Amino acid sequence: MRCKKCQEKAVIGLPRHNAAFCKGCFNEYVHDQVARAIKAQRMFGQKDRILVAVSGGKDSLALWDILLKLGYQADALHVDLGIPGYSATSREKVERFADAVAASRQAKLIIHVVKQEEGAGIQELANLVNRPTCSTCGTIKRYQFNRAAVERSYDVMATGHNLDDEAARLLGNVLHWQVDYLEKQGPVLPASVEGFARKVKPLYRLAEREVAAYAVLNRIDYIVEECPMAKGSKMLLYKEVLNHLESESPGTKQAFYWGFLDRQTETRPTAGSMAEKDQASLHPCTVCGQPTTADVCTYCKMMARAQAASPR
Amino acid sequence: MRCKKCQEKAVIGLPRHNAAFCKGCFNEYVHDQVARAIKAQRMFGQKDRILVAVSGGKDSLALWDILLKLGYQADALHVDLGIPGYSATSREKVERFADAVAASRQAKLIIHVVKQEEGAGIQELANLVNRPTCSTCGTIKRYQFNRAAVERSYDVMATGHNLDDEAARLLGNVLHWQVDYLEKQGPVLPASVEGFARKVKPLYRLAEREVAAYAVLNRIDYIVEECPMAKGSKMLLYKEVLNHLESESPGTKQAFYWGFLDRQTETRPTAGSMAEKDQASLHPCTVCGQPTTADVCTYCKMMARAQAASPR
């Protein structure tokens, strides 16, 4: 297998592009795909300050790495969830990357520790509020990342969701025709109301295995294990199914997600409709001031329930 | 496992309905689902003459059986495609069912033999026109069934497509965002222009394994083998994937297809829009008179090409 660009020995084949690349040309391909995503979706410019949400996994660390190499001002936020036997290692990977790569590019790492801030780790919190761990975790991370980006005046918040993540989420939403969720499934969520950070997904053009290959080839040391809480999750099931379709018919995921985006652009009634809708339905949480559709936001409700249920 | 209705020993479990049934109550469930489909989608009434497309497989024979038992006037058309080692057995099953069951209910069987009418079997025709066998077969069957229904003045044509067929087709269309096909994916296609028979799918509320169980329990002798031409088809791949999702999460197929139908009802701009569209774009084929968007319909073009390429 030869590199499609330079004819050197290839290190990775990309059946969906009918291509193969050597390490150098593959890195170029990855950087190019991210640059195209940023430009095509008008995610941010060179002067914008970006906050990258980093978990310690391949996607978020690769994203941070790529944004820095493309010359963007990108700091990162890591939320330490306090999952026994998992969170400590995740945090270590993030800190190691920050020291080894980010520091030399004047990028800083911010760490939030859930246990310190809320008095309990994620599992304990989920038990206290009697909700599944993954949804509790989602609420906490969304809240923490958004608040940090807004309070620290970042122009945009970036997450490491790749093509597989987005295609799997889209499949789940389409299988259940979750039309309201479909509307918010693009790679850019505008800062529709005050208190909402602009959110972008610059890796949406790259498949999971491409991001993993990038991380490995560039010696990014990431946590390989899936989160132990995610076992049996619907997202993993949807990814499995899409991988099966992809192996029989390369390009399926891309056609599915990109086709959805093209169609969304056509059918979205007016450009500012999402902002209008949000402005009509959202107002500040009476406890924390973050935007919410209710009086008190989900996060504050959850924390109040956790405190009431806590024996401390 | 006990029958949910009468507490007798159950012969089949239906995880998606959280139910199990004995033979009698299962037959009732199947008849009831078909009756509901016919009523909910206003497919046809007791006075209508129905033409059932029968292949010799479980779905179409079960459909014929159910319609007769529900008291409808249902004749059947079988198209003998001339596939070596397959079509002869298929036809035998259809003829046996017609003699054993349909005849006593004054229902008749019509048989079209492709080899007699067009001078060549399906495989030979596909080779002559240089097209995949499955798409050639689809064109021929659609044409023959429609023409027979129209020329013999049937009120409606019924096919044995079940929930799995429709969900798989929907998945394929959604994965590639085939919006034009999505519009025509309901269980009823109106006779939008002269020359088009009304088409209905009364089994769309029943899963494939339910129809198979019905056929076995009612001793309907059907051809068990998949058509040898269908091996490796996309539809089989989509069914496999949906079966995997269904086994992890019973009710997925139903939520997917029925949810689509609910949503389609909401989003379809006006009730008669499909008829309007068809009336604007379709006119009679200059060769055979059947409706087509071109001067000559696909079927006639194909047959002309086959004749030109034929050595006879």
Side-chain angles (χ1 to χ4, degrees):
Chain A
M1 200 166 60
R2 295 271 141 201
C3 174
K4 196 187 175 182
K5 276 177 102 175
C6 71
Q7 309 305 319
E8 286 295 305
K9 200 180 159 213
V11 294
I12 184 170
L14 303 184
R16 72 184 169 111
H17 291 304
N18 203 13
F21 292 118
C22 69
K23 184 183 163 183
C25 293
F26 178 66
N27 276 341
E28 234 174 74
Y29 158 80
V30 167
H31 289 178
D32 181 53
Q33 290 296 323
V34 175
R36 283 173 70 172
I38 294 168
K39 199 178 163 196
Q41 303 282 337
R42 298 181 190 173
M43 291 185 178
F44 44 74
Q46 289 290 347
K47 287 187 179 162
D48 285 324
R49 290 178 62 236
I50 303 158
L51 183 65
V52 184
V54 288
S55 65
K58 62 185 185 318
D59 302 297
S60 54
L61 288 180
L63 173 60
W64 198 10
D65 183 84
I66 296 163
L67 292 181
L68 291 174
K69 286 182 179 157
L70 290 175
Y72 288 102
Q73 304 173 54
D75 292 340
L77 170 62
H78 174 72
V79 175
D80 180 338
L81 297 156
I83 299 168
Y86 188 73
S87 292
T89 316
S90 304
R91 182 171 164 175
E92 238 175 73
K93 304 285 185 190
V94 173
E95 288 175 331
R96 197 170 301 163
F97 183 87
D99 290 343
V101 181
S104 66
R105 296 184 186 252
Q106 287 74 51
K108 74 173 176 191
L109 170 66
I110 307 158
I111 291 191
H112 279 200
V113 182
V114 171
K115 208 159 188 160
Q116 270 168 25
E117 301 201 6
E118 305 301 345
I122 190 77
Q123 250 178 313
E124 209 186 324
L125 282 172
N127 287 341
L128 286 172
V129 299
N130 199 19
R131 274 183 54 189
T133 313
C134 291
S135 86
T136 310
C137 175
T139 301
I140 291 182
K141 285 200 294 193
R142 266 193 305 277
Y143 181 88
Q144 296 263 6
F145 282 120
N146 183 68
R147 210 184 62 184
V150 170
E151 287 182 356
R152 293 168 187 257
S153 304
Y154 283 95
D155 296 293
V156 61
M157 204 198 100
T159 54
H161 295 95
N162 57 44
L163 177 58
D164 294 44
D165 295 320
E166 295 307 291
R169 200 173 137 209
L170 179 59
L171 181 60
N173 285 335
V174 163
L175 284 174
H176 300 96
W177 297 105
Q178 303 270 31
V179 181
D180 288 352
Y181 292 161
L182 284 176
E183 273 181 16
K184 305 220 159 178
Q185 238 218 274
V188 174
L189 271 185
S192 52
V193 293
E194 208 183 305
F196 261 171
R198 180 176 174 76
K199 293 172 192 84
V200 297
K201 298 171 182 173
L203 300 187
Y204 83 90
R205 296 177 64 91
L206 291 166
E208 189 152 298
R209 64 180 278 275
E210 293 162 19
V211 180
Y214 180 87
V216 170
L217 289 170
N218 293 282
R219 296 173 193 239
I220 295 173
D221 181 22
Y222 63 91
I223 185 158
V224 176
E225 294 78 39
E226 285 284 346
C227 172
M229 302 289 124
K231 271 195 194 113
S233 92
K234 281 282 159 65
M235 280 305 133
L236 292 183
L237 173 65
Y238 297 146
K239 281 189 180 179
E240 198 182 306
V241 153
L242 286 167
N243 282 336
H244 182 41
L245 292 169
E246 182 78 19
S247 73
E248 296 288 326
S249 189
T252 300
K253 286 177 210 171
Q254 172 181 318
F256 180 45
Y257 185 59
W258 297 6
F260 166 77
L261 293 182
D262 290 346
R263 197 169 157 260
Q264 205 188 27
T265 316
E266 286 166 26
T267 55
R268 197 181 289 169
T270 60
S273 68
M274 204 189 291
E276 271 171 41
K277 240 192 207 175
D278 282 354
Q279 276 154 17
S281 61
L282 296 170
H283 44 81
C285 165
T286 52
V287 177
C288 72
Q290 294 281 298
T292 173
T293 50
D295 272 356
V296 176
C297 76
T298 316
Y299 183 86
C300 289
K301 266 187 215 157
M302 214 165 76
M303 290 312 159
R305 277 181 67 190
Q307 249 176 341
S310 164
R312 278 162 290 119
Chain B
M1 201 166 61
R2 295 271 141 201
C3 174
K4 198 188 175 182
K5 275 177 103 176
C6 71
Q7 310 305 321
E8 286 295 304
K9 202 179 159 211
V11 294
I12 184 169
L14 304 183
R16 73 184 169 110
H17 291 304
N18 202 16
F21 291 118
C22 69
K23 183 184 163 184
C25 293
F26 177 67
N27 276 342
E28 234 174 74
Y29 157 81
V30 168
H31 289 179
D32 180 54
Q33 290 297 322
V34 174
R36 284 173 70 173
I38 294 168
K39 199 180 163 194
Q41 305 282 336
R42 297 180 191 175
M43 292 184 176
F44 44 74
Q46 288 289 347
K47 287 186 180 164
D48 286 325
R49 288 177 65 238
I50 305 159
L51 183 66
V52 184
V54 289
S55 64
K58 63 184 183 320
D59 302 296
S60 53
L61 288 182
L63 173 61
W64 198 11
D65 183 83
I66 297 163
L67 291 181
L68 291 174
K69 286 183 180 158
L70 289 175
Y72 289 103
Q73 303 174 54
D75 291 339
L77 171 63
H78 175 73
V79 175
D80 180 338
L81 298 156
I83 299 168
Y86 188 74
S87 292
T89 316
S90 304
R91 181 170 164 175
E92 236 176 75
K93 304 284 184 190
V94 173
E95 288 174 331
R96 196 170 305 163
F97 183 87
D99 291 342
V101 181
S104 66
R105 295 182 186 255
Q106 286 76 50
K108 72 173 176 190
L109 169 67
I110 307 158
I111 291 190
H112 280 199
V113 182
V114 172
K115 209 159 189 161
Q116 270 168 24
E117 301 200 7
E118 305 300 347
I122 189 79
Q123 253 179 311
E124 209 185 323
L125 282 172
N127 287 341
L128 286 172
V129 299
N130 200 19
R131 274 182 57 189
T133 314
C134 290
S135 86
T136 310
C137 175
T139 301
I140 291 182
K141 285 200 294 192
R142 266 193 304 276
Y143 181 88
Q144 297 262 7
F145 283 120
N146 182 69
R147 209 184 62 183
V150 170
E151 288 183 356
R152 293 168 187 255
S153 305
Y154 283 95
D155 297 293
V156 62
M157 203 198 101
T159 54
H161 295 95
N162 57 44
L163 176 58
D164 293 44
D165 295 320
E166 294 308 290
R169 200 174 137 208
L170 179 60
L171 181 61
N173 285 335
V174 163
L175 283 173
H176 300 97
W177 296 105
Q178 304 270 33
V179 181
D180 288 352
Y181 291 161
L182 283 176
E183 272 180 17
K184 305 219 161 181
Q185 238 219 274
V188 175
L189 273 183
S192 53
V193 293
E194 206 182 306
F196 261 172
R198 178 177 176 77
K199 293 173 191 83
V200 296
K201 298 170 181 173
L203 300 188
Y204 83 91
R205 297 178 64 91
L206 291 167
E208 190 151 298
R209 64 180 280 274
E210 293 162 19
V211 181
Y214 179 87
V216 170
L217 288 170
N218 293 281
R219 298 172 191 240
I220 296 173
D221 181 23
Y222 64 91
I223 185 158
V224 176
E225 294 78 41
E226 285 286 346
C227 172
M229 301 289 125
K231 268 193 196 118
S233 92
K234 281 283 160 62
M235 281 304 132
L236 291 183
L237 174 64
Y238 297 146
K239 282 189 181 182
E240 196 182 307
V241 152
L242 285 167
N243 281 337
H244 183 40
L245 292 169
E246 182 79 18
S247 73
E248 296 288 326
S249 188
T252 300
K253 285 176 210 169
Q254 172 181 320
F256 180 45
Y257 185 58
W258 296 8
F260 165 77
L261 293 182
D262 289 346
R263 194 167 159 263
Q264 205 189 26
T265 316
E266 287 165 26
T267 57
R268 196 181 290 168
T270 59
S273 68
M274 203 189 290
E276 272 170 39
K277 241 191 204 172
D278 282 354
Q279 277 155 15
S281 61
L282 297 170
H283 44 82
C285 165
T286 51
V287 178
C288 73
Q290 294 282 297
T292 174
T293 51
D295 271 356
V296 176
C297 76
T298 316
Y299 183 86
C300 289
K301 267 187 214 154
M302 215 165 77
M303 291 312 158
R305 279 181 66 192
Q307 249 176 341
S310 163
R312 273 160 294 119

